[in-house]
Amino acid sequence: MPIRRKAPIQWLPYLLLLPSLALVGVIEFYPFISGASYSLHKGNLLNTGAFVGLQNYQRLFGSTDFYHSLWFSFLFAFFNVLFSYLIGLALALFLNLDFPGRGLCRVLLLLPWIVPAVVSIVSWKWLIADRGGLVNVLLGDLHLGPIYFLSESGWAMVAVIVIKIWRSFPFMMLSLLAALQVIDKTLYEAARIDGANHWQMFWHITMPHLKNISIVQAILMVIWSINDFETPFLLTQGGPSNATENLILLAYRYTFGRNDVGRGSAVALLTLVVLTVLATFMMRQQRKIA
């Protein structure tokens, strides 16, 4: 009986992969390990500082600023995902119809997503400014204002969330429209012959085909909302009285405002943990539904 010789290991593919692995390690893992190390030290922007163990985390868990930022991050993500999805779905259904000027409508509705964030957010800030803003001028003419959108805590939270929704719905709309256009039209024709009404066709044909893309969109939007820095920073810089300060702004304030790199890094790592837990939970839900 012939003896089978074990094939020699081909080392060349592994050697060719080494530069890519090294690059990924430098880009992905080095910042993470550095951040984790900073969170265990009492350092500043110039020095790493002394090792303090979990003291930065203990100070965070005893801080009302952290819990408020966590709560506002949740509200910010929840309302943004909910309303940007509903608006995006309604507009996607509308744009899926055949009517004159549909192409122009698609382009115009994508503008909030196309315009650079700095331009759109600063424009909104001018529009809703407390004094002299166009919105308050119009409200004054109607004897309904002024409303201090950026100076009162409640209104500032509403303004930041609404403008984030305005920037986010085109992404939802575009993705859902792409999913709608691949649904087989014969399903609707068959349902219509069987006597189904519009609501039944929407609920039993359209929504099941949008299920997977909707979950993926929700996951991405939660991550983007919690990681959003520019919207609250350019509108209110986290104010008034830290009312619109999310976790990312809190990390920024600790690191660059108070020169406390340890606590800033601790906030950033805790944000990463929150996002990882949320993404894992939602991915598992997607597998269960699928």
Side-chain angles (χ1 to χ4, degrees):
M1 183 175 179
I3 299 174
R4 289 186 179 178
R5 290 186 178 181
K6 192 175 180 181
I9 299 175
Q10 298 292 327
W11 291 105
L12 183 60
Y14 297 101
L15 291 175
L16 294 175
L17 280 175
L18 278 179
S20 300
L21 292 175
L23 187 62
V24 170
V26 170
I27 294 174
E28 297 288 338
F29 294 108
Y30 177 73
F32 174 76
I33 294 171
S34 297
S37 174
Y38 287 140
S39 72
L40 301 176
H41 290 77
K42 187 176 177 57
N44 54 44
L45 292 170
L46 298 178
N47 298 304
T48 306
F51 180 78
V52 294
L54 299 176
Q55 193 179 88
N56 288 320
Y57 295 93
Q58 291 173 345
R59 291 173 66 193
L60 275 183
F61 290 133
S63 165
T64 55
D65 287 350
F66 173 71
Y67 291 108
H68 174 77
S69 298
L70 187 63
W71 174 240
F72 180 68
S73 297
F74 168 75
L75 290 179
F76 190 63
F78 176 77
F79 285 111
N80 182 41
V81 172
L82 177 64
F83 286 101
S84 63
Y85 180 81
L86 292 176
I87 295 170
L89 176 61
L91 291 173
L93 291 170
F94 171 67
L95 293 176
N96 197 39
L97 301 174
D98 190 14
F99 61 90
R102 184 174 62 171
L104 178 63
C105 286
R106 288 180 179 179
V107 173
L108 293 176
L109 288 169
L110 282 176
L111 283 179
W113 197 37
I114 296 171
V115 175
V118 174
V119 176
S120 62
I121 295 170
V122 172
S123 299
W124 270 106
K125 189 173 182 178
W126 288 342
L127 285 173
I128 61 174
D130 294 337
R131 291 182 181 276
L134 179 61
V135 173
N136 267 324
V137 170
L138 294 175
L139 288 175
D141 292 340
L142 297 172
H143 305 288
L144 296 174
I147 295 175
Y148 299 106
F149 291 104
L150 303 178
S151 302
E152 293 181 358
S153 299
W155 278 112
M157 292 170 71
V158 171
V160 170
I161 291 171
V162 168
I163 292 170
K164 178 63 178 175
I165 293 169
W166 179 81
R167 294 183 56 221
S168 302
F169 83 80
F171 169 75
M172 294 286 197
M173 179 192 73
L174 195 64
S175 304
L176 291 171
L177 180 60
L180 284 172
Q181 290 181 338
V182 298
I183 299 177
D184 189 352
K185 303 298 181 189
T186 58
L187 294 175
Y188 294 102
E189 292 172 7
R192 201 172 289 113
I193 291 171
D194 290 338
N197 57 34
H198 290 291
W199 170 253
Q200 289 170 327
M201 287 190 285
F202 170 75
W203 190 251
H204 295 291
I205 298 175
T206 305
M207 285 309 293
H209 283 85
L210 298 180
K211 180 179 59 183
N212 287 332
I213 187 67
S214 300
I215 294 172
V216 172
Q217 284 180 312
I219 294 171
L220 291 175
M221 197 54 71
V222 166
I223 293 171
W224 291 342
S225 299
I226 292 179
N227 274 330
D228 190 359
F229 176 82
E230 65 270 13
T231 306
F233 182 78
L234 291 172
L235 274 175
T236 61
Q237 296 191 344
S241 303
N242 303 334
T244 57
E245 188 175 66
N246 61 8
L247 288 170
I248 299 301
L249 270 184
L250 181 66
Y252 174 83
R253 180 160 66 90
Y254 279 145
T255 304
F256 297 101
R258 296 186 179 181
N259 200 20
D260 189 347
V261 176
R263 272 204 292 177
S265 301
V267 174
L269 279 182
L270 287 175
T271 305
L272 175 65
V273 171
V274 170
L275 287 174
T276 304
V277 170
L278 281 174
T280 304
F281 173 76
M282 296 177 79
M283 292 293 287
R284 286 186 176 178
Q285 291 301 313
Q286 183 193 18
R287 290 195 196 102
K288 285 182 183 177
I289 294 172

